[in-house]
Each structure stands twice: as C-alpha cells, then as structure tokens.
Amino acid sequence: MAIRSRTSFVASKATLGLSSVDTHAILVFSTTASYLSNLGQTAATSSHLMNAAGYEAWQPIYLTAGTYDRLGVYTTVAAVSTWRLGIDNNTTGFRPDTNLLDAGTVDMNAAAGLQQITISLTISADGWYWFRAKVDAYTASPTVMCVNGNSATPTQAVPVLGWPIANSGNAGRYAVGLNRQNASGTGSLPTAPTITGSPVTGLTYTEIGPKFYIRKAS
Amino acid sequence: MNINTHDGKGRIIATETIPDPDPYPPTDVERLAAVLVAKVDALTEADAAKALGVDEGRITAATAELAAEPGQTP
C-alpha cells in the first residue's frame, strides 16, 4: 500500500466566498485506496502549535464525492499527547463551520508512523472541506509531518488566493491553514469559531499546520 | 513505515509495517545484469558439456581456468 495522490491544477471561478476574482481550484482526482493529503511544502516538526490541551488546527482539502475509510496524521517522533481528528464543513468566507465528522482520537505516543482511524464518511458532492485536529490531552509535542509556509522562498507553500501573509515581517511567507490556541475544552469538536485574527478569541491564519491523510474507499 | 490504525478511543487495533520506497531503484542495466548472473549461476557443468558436445571433464578444467586469478595455476 502506498500513499500517493494525483493532483491537477486548473483555473476556474470557484465559489469560495471571495470577491469576484479568478481563483485557482486545487482539485484532487482521487482513486480508490489512495490517500489524499493537503498540499504544500512539508516539514516534520514539533513546532506545529498543537502544544496544549484544547488547541486546534484546520487545513483546507477538496474532496470528491464518495466514501472514505481512513483519516490520520503522520508522526516521525512520538510524544505523550492525544489528538482528536475530524472534518468540518466549509462555509462562506472559506472557513470551517459545523463539524461533519468526529473520528475520535489517536495516541500520538504510538510508534512513529501513520496514525490513522477507521472512519465511514460519505461525501455527497465534490467540494471544499476542512481537516481538523484538536489536542485532547497534552504532555509533550510529537514531531508531526506538517505543511509549512514558514520560508523566505515564496514557492514553499501552496497559497490560497485571498488569504493574508501570515507574518507581515516576511513577505515571502504564506498562510497554509487556520489555528486556535485556546484551552477550549476537549472531548468533542464543536462548531468552529469565526476568523478573528486572534488564536485566543477565534481562529487565525497560520503558516504551519499538520498534514492529514484521508483514504478513499470508493 | 509504520501504519497504526486506532479505534478512535485510545486503542490501536492494527499495526503493519511497509518497506520504505528505495530512493535509488536499480537501473535497467543493473536488473539485466542480475538476471544474467542468476542464469549463469544456475548453469551446471553437465549442462554446459551437453550444450557444447564435449566431455564434462573439459568443462571442469575450463571453469577452473576461468576462475583462476592472473598468474595463478588453475
């Protein structure tokens, strides 16, 4: 079994809740038994901001209609922490909304590798969704494969047009996802807050976030 | 690479290990050489003698001469 993805970039007017500008839709043409993942320059790091109970991360993903049977994250160094994985719906403004799937938790202190949960998820129509992870318990940060816009090289991340630069001090960096750094409770995945620009009061753009892996069953 | 399948409630229900992909896969020349070496290794002196229509003893002597290092007596 190999983790592989097929991607194709096309220019189209995607309804992302943005102003009327041309946007590039990242389409993933998935095949059965293939793992899909959010795109971008990758880096295995423990500096993924998931360093306290309740902290969360979101990554956009375009899913084609069908059923999916595995959802996971990839560790390269284990640490005592538990992550709750899920998928949120997308809403106007290109942000996460209500929770579509709460897959449960993975033990991030298991032997390093792909940490996946068996799921039964049906996507009825092609569209944008949001990978989501929440720290349900924390002692130490595992090293996790992440997408990383934290570089002076502009091509390091796949930019989402309309998103701001995550760090105004470096014009070469890009936001690659959203995060929340608020001990907002554990054990469930409630509806995501709005983007406020503060990771404490709501969601904010971030230049690093976990890579997620989802397997298409059919 | 390890693949740990969790039950979502804190238990691992399945574990498998798959080999990491070889970053330097063999070239076609290397693969052909491996096939040829295997064929030669499988060839017996009896097979060679039969193919050449000679006594097996001559093949044994020829094999020893081929294996000898330069300057050595077979």
Side-chain angles (χ1 to χ4, degrees), chain A residues 16 18-19 21-26 94 158-164 174-175:
Chain A
L16 298 176
L18 304 175
S19 58
V21 294
D22 285 335
T23 57
H24 286 76
I26 300 172
F94 195 55
V158 178
V160 178
L161 300 183
W163 275 11
Y174 288 94

Side-chain angles (χ1 to χ4, degrees), chain A residues 1 74 104-105 107 110-118, chain B residues 1-10 12-13 16 18:
Chain A
M1 175 170 60
Y74 192 93
T105 59
D107 178 7
L114 178 63
Q115 313 300 335
Q116 64 179 11
I117 304 174
T118 300
Chain B
M1 183 180 81
N2 294 322
I3 297 177
N4 299 318
T5 302
H6 303 240
D7 67 355
K9 301 182 181 69
I12 294 174
I13 56 177
E16 63 178 301
I18 60 174

